[in-house]
Amino acid sequence: GQQLNQSPQSMFIQEGEDVSMNCTSSSIFNTWLWYKQDPGEGPVLLIALYKAGELTSNGRLTAQFGITRKDSFLNISASIPSDVGIYFCAGLISMHTGKLIFGQGTTLQVKP
Amino acid sequence: DGGITQSPKYLFRKEGQNVTLSCEQNLNHDAMYWYRQDPGQGLRLIYYSQIVNDFQKGDIAEGYSVSREKKESFPLTVTSAQKNPTAFYLCASSIQGAGANVLTFGAGSRLTVL
């Protein structure tokens, strides 16, 4: 079946550093989403990407929809302690059903 | 405030017991979803429903059941047939059609089997 490979699995960085994570797939997706999950809570949408090559920013976050439509990247600039959490990528399987497939997640820890 | 409410937040169950997790939304969304989350894994789809009185199996439906009698509610029953039920369960909803991919999640329910 379809799979998303998200890397790295975890990151431990110093406050102020930039962070990069990515998702790759053998399948083509028409929509890529990035979510953040705080401990013990549900994921919250960060950025949605709808077009190959699209680069979208949300504050210190920037995400790109790969031109092959098989990958996506998320960058966080100048990390702060509240960036701690699990970041998930998701690809849209079906526009009709809204079904998503999720990556395994990247756990981010930030040292003040 | 519009949103999705899941209850209970924490639930303990003895082996062989069925338990039902509640999910209520006041977003007027047509579609609702149940996901299971295990440590180090992505979210896996259990069941989803696009309209009242209709639902479809996701990737890991075995041992689970759902109902959709009202637009606002999509309860999930974890049956005794589910061999490894300890997990974090997330309910989500979305509009239909354009924007259907943008899921809004509840805060989750953590089920532990003793």
Side-chain angles (χ1 to χ4, degrees):
Chain A
Q2 291 172 303
Q3 276 189 312
L4 289 185
N5 297 309
Q6 186 172 347
S7 65
Q9 187 174 353
S10 62
M11 301 181 73
F12 190 85
I13 63 171
Q14 196 78 29
E15 182 177 1
E17 291 183 354
D18 296 344
V19 173
S20 292
M21 60 191 78
N22 70 83
C23 273
T24 60
S25 174
S26 57
S27 303
I28 290 175
F29 292 100
N30 292 316
T31 297
W32 282 94
L33 306 172
W34 284 93
Y35 283 86
K36 182 197 176 192
Q37 184 180 30
D38 289 329
E41 299 295 327
V44 174
L45 182 69
L46 297 175
I47 293 179
L49 302 161
Y50 299 104
K51 191 174 176 182
E54 180 181 355
L55 186 70
T56 298
S57 293
N58 178 7
R60 294 178 295 105
L61 277 62
T62 302
Q64 183 161 25
F65 192 143
I67 58 173
T68 65
R69 293 196 285 157
K70 294 183 178 181
D71 57 8
S72 181
F73 306 86
L74 175 69
N75 296 315
I76 305 173
S77 62
S79 59
I80 59 178
S82 63
D83 290 334
V84 165
I86 305 176
Y87 292 79
F88 290 101
C89 61
L92 180 65
I93 298 174
S94 166
M95 182 69 76
H96 175 65
T97 64
K99 286 179 63 178
L100 297 173
I101 182 169
F102 284 82
Q104 303 96 323
T106 295
T107 300
L108 178 64
Q109 297 182 24
V110 179
K111 184 178 180 182
Chain B
D1 274 341
I4 299 179
T5 302
Q6 289 187 240
S7 63
K9 180 69 175 176
Y10 300 96
L11 184 62
F12 297 89
R13 186 194 97 173
K14 292 182 180 179
E15 283 193 27
Q17 288 182 333
N18 293 354
V19 292
T20 298
L21 307 180
S22 170
C23 178
E24 303 279 332
Q25 55 100 358
N26 60 4
L27 299 166
N28 200 32
H29 285 173
D30 291 303
M32 297 187 75
Y33 308 81
W34 274 104
Y35 285 88
R36 170 179 171 141
Q37 183 177 18
D38 294 286
Q41 297 191 36
L43 307 182
R44 293 182 291 167
L45 184 64
I46 305 173
Y47 267 99
Y48 66 102
S49 167
Q50 296 175 270
I51 197 169
V52 173
N53 292 324
D54 187 46
F55 49 83
Q56 286 79 41
K57 293 181 179 180
D59 301 317
I60 55 166
E62 185 176 351
Y64 300 97
S65 66
V66 294
S67 63
R68 187 83 187 280
E69 298 177 1
K70 298 187 300 181
K71 185 176 183 178
E72 306 78 26
S73 179
F74 191 40
L76 173 74
T77 297
V78 184
T79 75
S80 57
Q82 169 50 235
K83 298 305 178 188
N84 185 21
T86 294
F88 192 53
Y89 291 89
L90 288 160
C91 179
S93 69
S94 71
I95 61 173
Q96 282 292 82
N101 46 291
V102 179
L103 300 183
T104 300
F105 284 89
S109 293
R110 184 168 298 281
L111 173 63
T112 302
V113 174
L114 303 174

